[in-house]
């Protein structure tokens, strides 16, 4: 009876495995057992079972996958590549074979090929946790965190793994995308709230989302219990500063016994911001210098000090500090020397690597006018794909290449061709500010005309005024103006075009109660988040633009708009491009700057705008 049952079970297993592996009889069972042996790390048995099948069924990918997996276990990269290559000949989009090939490339020290193949594996449906963590690590080391997150987000979402969610949050934070990081920090905390790192990530996300009522008690609890006390203190300090509790923040710094030099240095950097908010720039300089001295290296603190000096026009002094914004690994791939005159002068093709946000990149592109490039040199700007249509016909003569496509495939180029956009700031010291002035974007004329006609018709002769008033980031709160307050600067009966991103319907409805004479237009033809070229055409169609310091201001400057008014915050949130004083725009030579005198008080700059726009 036992023998009969065993035979029946074998027949059932053979039928099932035949459907799975595409071959019949005992060999399908052998393949099944080979996979199981490989999973148990019984490499000899796995090879013994799979090897004959590679000869009897050379077009069957499964036997080759087992052989490739065995080679990986033995750390034989070249052999593994050969086996997985055979599997991929049978089926080019097999996720398991692609996963193995990616690991085999890494064993062979072929990093670019490894990450490119890993991306193909994820696109084919791979969900192996080991491949995810490997890809995260490699892409972080390559400085391609944002590209990695784009690829991994759907995979991590399916895996529902708290640790991977938290790691994605960290990657986005390291890439200066705290708003996007918040989603993943919340997800990690929801899946597993016990680890301290997940609780700290949740606190950071609450703060980024300006949920201060929830963040306050959560932070207070963590201050009492967290082993990473320095990390929690610095998050709480940021909340105190952003909410205007600067004296409390200073006292907390004085009362805290920091456990690490890095924690103390970060607090000193925040104290430098508080000094700037108070107008004490000498004290801010001292705090920056002490912070950098404490850690012995630069990073974000060095960058902050560099732009602090840039704001005062001390470009030569600030440039070495600003250059330290990238870590050693990133500098190994794109050295600072690549931006030196002796290199630029001989380049016939420069790949200019974008960095920071859209507004910052728009601001820094005019630095090309200062760089000592050969007049015949070709410049390709590697950045977000939205820049492609925006830069069509630009007067800087630069081409565009999508960053995601560029970083996802191996490139054949000389190391000295790659230059970070911000590294061109080294040329600010030796040139007159006016050398970088002037519009460089050319919006589509037909699109501008069509939008202009639509707005003029809707306004029936009233001035057409574009408005942007809010920055959704945590620090952006210090640059933002309440819409109802901004509307006080607009003339009677104006047509107001909403240039603000995001859902503003409730805010607009409430603000318009105080200005029923205004006509407010939300033009859904333009999606500025997806269509930068359309956004540029929209701004060009305005009679006037009134904006806080955000992408709208930089777009207006790059267009050379004839009547664009930028509200500039006081303290450390005054971006370095604008200098520290004056109404004239020192960067584009186009905008009119209206400067806040005290943090939180926009009455003076709004009064200036009102006077300028008065009929």
């Amino acid at each position: 009876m036992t023998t009969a049952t065993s035979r029946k079970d074998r027949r059932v297993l053979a039928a099932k495995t035949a459907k799975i592996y595409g071959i019949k009889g005992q060999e399908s069972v052998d393949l099944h057992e080979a996979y199981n042996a490989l999973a148990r790390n019984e490499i000899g048995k796995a090879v013994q079972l799979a090897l004959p099948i590679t000869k009897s069924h050379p077009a069957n990918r499964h036997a080759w996958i087992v052989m490739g997996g065995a080679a990986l276990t033995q750390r034989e990269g070249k052999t593994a590549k050969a086996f997985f290559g055979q599997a991929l000949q049978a089926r080019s989009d097999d996720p398991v074979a692609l996963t193995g090939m990616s690991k085999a490339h890494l064993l062979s020290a072929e990093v670019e090929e490894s990450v490119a193949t890993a991306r193909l594996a994820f696109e084919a449906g791979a969900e192996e946790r080991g491949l995810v963590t490997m890809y995260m690590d490699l892409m972080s080391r390559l400085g391609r965190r944002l590209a990695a997150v784009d690829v991994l987000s759907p995979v991590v979402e399916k895996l529902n793994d708290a640790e991977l969610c938290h790691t994605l949050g960290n990657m986005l934070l390291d890439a200066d995308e705290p708003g996007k990081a918040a989603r993943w920090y919340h997800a990690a905390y929801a899946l597993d709230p016990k680890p301290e790192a997940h609780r700290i990530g949740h606190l950071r996300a609450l703060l980024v989302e300006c949920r201060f009522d929830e963040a306050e008690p959560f932070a207070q609890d963590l201050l009492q219990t967290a082993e990473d006390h320095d990390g929690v203190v610095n998050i709480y300090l940021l909340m105190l500063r952003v909410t205007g509790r600067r004296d409390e923040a200073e006292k907390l710094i004085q009362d805290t016994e920091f456990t690490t030099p890095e924690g103390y240095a970060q607090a000193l950097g925040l104290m430098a911001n508080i000094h700037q908010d108070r107008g004490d720039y000498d004290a801010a300089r001292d705090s920056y210098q002490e912070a950098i001295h404490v850690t012995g290296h630069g990073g974000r603190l060095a960058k902050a000090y560099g732009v602090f000096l840039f704001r005062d026009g001390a470009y030569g002094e600030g440039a070495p500090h600003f250059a330290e914004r990238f870590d050693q690994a990133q500098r190994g791939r794109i050295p600072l020397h690549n931006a030196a005159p002796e290199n630029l002068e001989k380049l016939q093709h420069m790949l200019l690597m974008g960095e920071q946000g859209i507004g910052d990149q728009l601001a820094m592109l005019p630095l090309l006018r200062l760089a000592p490039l050969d007049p015949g040199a070709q410049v390709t700007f590697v950045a977000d794909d939205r820049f492609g249509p925006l830069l069509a016909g630009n007067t800087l003569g630069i081409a565009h290449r999508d960053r995601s496509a560029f970083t996802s495939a191996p490139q054949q180029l000389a190391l000295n061709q790659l230059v970070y956009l911000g590294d061109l700031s080294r040329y600010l010291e030796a040139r007159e500010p006016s050398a970088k002035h002037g519009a460089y974007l050319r919006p589509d004329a037909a699109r501008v005309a069509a939008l202009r006609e639509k707005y003029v018709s809707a306004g029936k002769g009233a001035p057409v005024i574009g408005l942007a008033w809010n920055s959704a980031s945590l620090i952006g709160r210090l640059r933002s103006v309440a819409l109802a307050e901004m509307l006080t600067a607009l003339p009677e009966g104006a047509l107001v075009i909403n240039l603000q991103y995001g859902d503003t319907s409730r805010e607009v409805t409430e603000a318009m109660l105080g200005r029923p004479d205004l006509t407010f237009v939300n033009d859904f033809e333009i999606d500025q988040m997806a269509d930068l070229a359309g956004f540029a055409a929209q701004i060009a169609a305005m009679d006037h633009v009134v904006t806080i310091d955000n992408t709208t201001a930089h777009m207006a400057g790059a267009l050379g708009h004839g009547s664009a008014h930028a509200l500039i915050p006081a303290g450390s949130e005054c971006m370095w491009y604008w200098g520290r004083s004056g109404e004239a725009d020192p960067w584009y030579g186009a905008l009119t700057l209206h400067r806040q005198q005290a943090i939180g008080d926009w009455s003076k700059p709004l009064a200036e705008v009102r006077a300028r726009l008065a009929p």
Side-chain angles (χ1 to χ4, degrees):
M1 182 66 68
T2 303
T3 303
T5 303
S6 176
R7 288 174 180 172
K8 180 180 179 181
D9 289 343
R10 290 292 278 188
R11 286 196 299 272
V12 171
L13 179 60
K16 289 181 178 179
T17 55
K19 291 181 180 179
I20 295 172
Y21 304 120
I23 56 177
K24 297 180 179 180
Q26 181 61 39
E27 286 180 313
S28 68
V29 176
D30 288 347
L31 258 182
H32 185 69
E33 293 181 357
Y35 270 120
N36 288 335
L38 186 63
R40 296 190 300 268
N41 206 35
E42 297 173 1
I43 306 305
K45 183 176 181 180
V47 170
Q48 182 181 15
L49 290 166
L51 182 59
I53 302 173
T54 64
K55 298 175 181 178
S56 60
H57 295 83
N60 186 285
R61 67 186 186 280
H62 294 286
W64 294 113
I65 288 173
V66 171
M67 296 298 292
L72 281 181
T73 304
Q74 300 299 310
R75 305 190 66 79
E76 297 172 356
K78 185 177 180 180
T79 303
K81 283 195 297 180
F83 288 141
F84 287 122
Q86 290 289 335
L88 290 169
Q89 283 187 23
R91 181 179 165 185
S92 62
D93 65 344
D94 184 278
V96 178
L98 287 167
T99 296
M101 182 63 87
S102 176
K103 294 178 179 180
H105 279 305
L106 185 59
L107 270 179
S108 302
E110 297 165 351
V111 176
E112 291 290 353
E113 291 81 356
S114 178
V115 294
T117 308
R119 176 173 180 165
L120 293 175
F122 293 128
E123 290 173 350
E127 296 178 5
E128 186 197 274
R129 193 181 192 280
L131 184 67
V132 172
T133 56
M134 183 190 87
Y135 189 69
M136 284 175 164
D137 180 60
L138 290 177
M139 292 293 277
S140 294
R141 292 173 184 269
L142 291 168
R144 303 174 190 168
R145 293 176 180 86
L146 291 178
V149 171
D150 287 343
V151 172
L152 290 177
S153 290
V155 182
V156 174
E157 198 161 16
K158 288 181 182 178
L159 289 173
N160 224 26
D161 184 296
E163 186 178 347
L164 293 179
C165 288
H166 184 77
T167 303
L168 275 190
N170 287 341
M171 291 173 70
L172 285 162
L173 189 68
D174 289 341
D176 289 324
E177 291 285 358
K180 294 179 181 178
R183 168 198 172 190
W184 295 105
Y185 284 141
H186 284 319
Y189 179 75
L191 288 166
D192 186 0
K194 292 181 181 179
E196 179 179 295
H198 296 182
R199 286 182 282 135
I200 292 176
H202 180 60
L203 172 62
R204 193 184 299 278
L206 290 174
L207 186 57
V208 165
E209 295 170 346
C210 302
R211 293 159 61 180
F212 303 124
D213 290 344
E214 297 172 71
E216 179 85 30
F218 202 81
Q220 291 290 353
D221 179 65
L222 278 170
L223 285 170
Q224 303 302 317
T225 61
E227 292 185 17
D228 183 11
H229 188 259
D230 290 3
V232 177
V233 166
N234 276 295
I235 295 172
Y236 189 55
L237 285 170
L238 180 58
M239 185 178 76
L240 292 175
R241 185 213 162 202
V242 170
T243 54
R245 297 153 65 184
R246 288 179 281 276
D247 291 344
E248 287 183 55
E250 183 173 14
K251 186 176 187 306
L252 180 57
I253 292 172
Q254 293 170 348
D255 293 346
T256 298
E257 292 186 11
F258 291 91
T259 59
T260 65
E262 290 76 16
Y264 179 50
Q266 188 176 345
L268 286 172
L270 190 136
M271 194 66 225
N273 287 335
I274 291 174
H275 287 314
Q276 292 175 77
D277 294 344
R278 292 169 173 167
D280 190 346
Y281 298 105
D282 289 338
R285 177 189 285 264
D286 291 343
S287 288
Y288 278 131
Q289 290 179 344
E290 183 180 358
I292 294 170
H293 176 73
V294 165
T295 58
H297 55 80
R300 293 185 178 183
L301 284 170
K303 175 188 173 182
Y305 185 42
V307 298
F308 168 81
L309 295 168
F310 282 176
R311 194 188 302 126
D312 278 341
Y315 298 119
E317 186 181 357
H321 298 287
F322 186 64
E324 292 185 54
R325 65 197 182 280
F326 296 117
D327 60 30
Q328 188 174 1
Q330 286 176 275
R331 276 301 180 198
R333 290 184 294 277
I334 307 181
L336 178 62
H337 178 75
N338 284 7
E342 55 268 29
N343 186 55
L344 294 189
E345 289 168 355
K346 65 185 180 183
L347 285 182
Q348 291 305 302
H349 184 200
M350 178 173 72
L351 290 161
L352 194 61
M353 305 301 293
E355 53 178 296
Q356 303 181 56
I358 297 293
D360 294 299
Q361 292 177 85
L362 288 171
M364 289 191 287
L365 280 172
L367 293 172
L368 275 169
R369 291 177 169 141
L370 312 181
L373 284 165
D374 184 294
Q378 178 186 350
V379 178
T380 299
F381 184 45
V382 181
D384 187 301
D385 63 348
R386 293 174 293 173
F387 271 97
L390 177 66
L391 291 172
N394 72 88
T395 62
L396 296 175
I398 57 176
H400 169 262
R401 193 166 179 185
D402 174 35
R403 175 188 286 274
S404 294
F406 181 82
T407 58
S408 64
Q411 303 296 326
Q412 298 296 320
L413 48 88
L415 176 63
N416 69 331
Q417 289 180 275
L418 295 168
V419 177
Y420 277 124
L421 175 58
D423 286 346
L424 299 181
S425 61
R426 67 186 295 158
Y427 297 107
L428 284 164
E429 182 184 26
R431 302 290 299 276
E432 289 296 319
S434 60
K436 64 183 181 309
H437 285 180
Y440 66 87
L441 294 180
R442 287 180 172 173
D444 182 273
R447 201 169 184 185
V448 174
L451 289 168
R452 176 68 183 166
E453 181 180 3
K454 178 168 62 173
Y455 298 149
V456 169
S457 176
K460 299 178 181 178
V464 179
I465 304 176
L467 217 62
W469 61 91
N470 184 57
S471 176
S473 69
L474 175 65
I475 295 300
R477 283 173 55 91
L478 301 177
R479 298 197 297 270
S480 300
V481 184
L483 175 58
E485 188 176 5
M486 187 178 272
L487 291 181
T488 64
L490 303 190
E492 187 82 15
L495 180 76
V496 182
I497 308 299
N498 187 353
L499 302 180
Q500 180 62 49
Y501 60 85
D503 182 4
T504 61
S505 55
R506 181 177 178 180
E507 191 176 5
V508 169
T509 299
E510 293 176 353
M512 289 301 292
L513 293 175
R515 287 297 306 269
D517 59 293
L518 301 175
T519 301
F520 211 96
V521 174
N522 293 296
D523 189 347
F524 297 107
E525 176 187 342
I526 305 298
D527 179 359
Q528 64 168 282
M529 301 303 290
D531 181 10
L532 291 178
F535 188 44
Q538 185 179 39
I539 291 174
M542 303 293 104
D543 289 319
H544 312 285
V545 174
V546 181
T547 180
I548 63 168
D549 180 10
N550 62 2
T551 299
T552 301
H554 291 293
M555 190 76 81
L559 289 165
H561 196 286
S563 182
H565 302 266
L567 304 174
I568 306 301
S572 66
E573 298 319 309
C574 171
M575 296 299 290
W576 62 277
Y577 315 115
W578 313 125
R580 191 168 285 165
S581 61
E583 182 182 85
D585 167 14
W587 197 258
Y588 301 99
L591 308 178
T592 301
L593 308 182
H594 304 277
R595 297 180 184 272
Q596 191 182 56
Q597 300 302 300
I599 291 177
D601 182 4
W602 291 103
S603 58
K604 182 178 182 294
L606 288 172
E608 292 173 357
V609 173
R610 184 163 52 250
R612 288 299 188 98
L613 298 184

